[in-house]
């Protein structure tokens, strides 16, 4: 298992957009991203630094592996 990098919420969003996600909604400090095919929806906090557990949950909800996500960065 690859080591997770320390990234911001905005960097996470940019990587997910490369994987086919688009911004659906913004609620206060959180951005909701959606992908239609295959369907997936994730909530990314707009923080300077995402906690490792939060980032791992976002990657899991996006149906990506850690290696695939790191390649998108």
């Amino acid at each position: 298992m690859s080591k997770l990098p320390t990234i911001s919420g905005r960097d996470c969003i940019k990587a997910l957009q490369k994987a086919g996600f688009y911004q659906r909604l913004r609620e206060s400090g959180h951005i909701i991203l959606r992908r239609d095919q295959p369907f997936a929806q994730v909530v990314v906090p707009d923080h300077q630094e995402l906690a490792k557990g939060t980032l791992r949950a976002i990657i899991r909800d996006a149906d990506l592996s850690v290696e695939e996500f790191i390649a998108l960065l």
Side-chain angles (χ1 to χ4, degrees):
M1 188 177 289
S2 295
K3 184 177 166 105
L4 283 174
T6 301
I7 62 170
S8 68
R10 292 182 191 263
D11 290 338
C12 180
I13 290 167
K14 288 177 188 175
L16 290 173
Q17 286 175 336
K18 291 178 187 175
F21 284 84
Y22 60 92
Q23 183 173 334
R24 181 171 168 266
L25 185 64
R26 181 181 183 97
E27 291 186 3
S28 62
H30 294 80
I31 295 110
I32 299 172
L33 301 170
R34 176 180 275 179
R35 179 180 62 200
D36 294 326
Q37 291 297 326
F39 180 80
Q41 184 167 299
V42 295
V43 179
V44 180
D46 190 13
H47 295 166
Q48 290 293 325
E49 184 176 311
L50 293 178
K52 299 291 183 184
T54 302
L55 181 57
R56 192 170 297 280
I58 290 169
I59 294 170
R60 183 179 57 240
D61 291 344
D63 295 325
L64 297 171
S65 69
V66 174
E67 291 79 18
E68 290 171 330
F69 182 78
I70 291 172
L72 292 171
L73 292 173

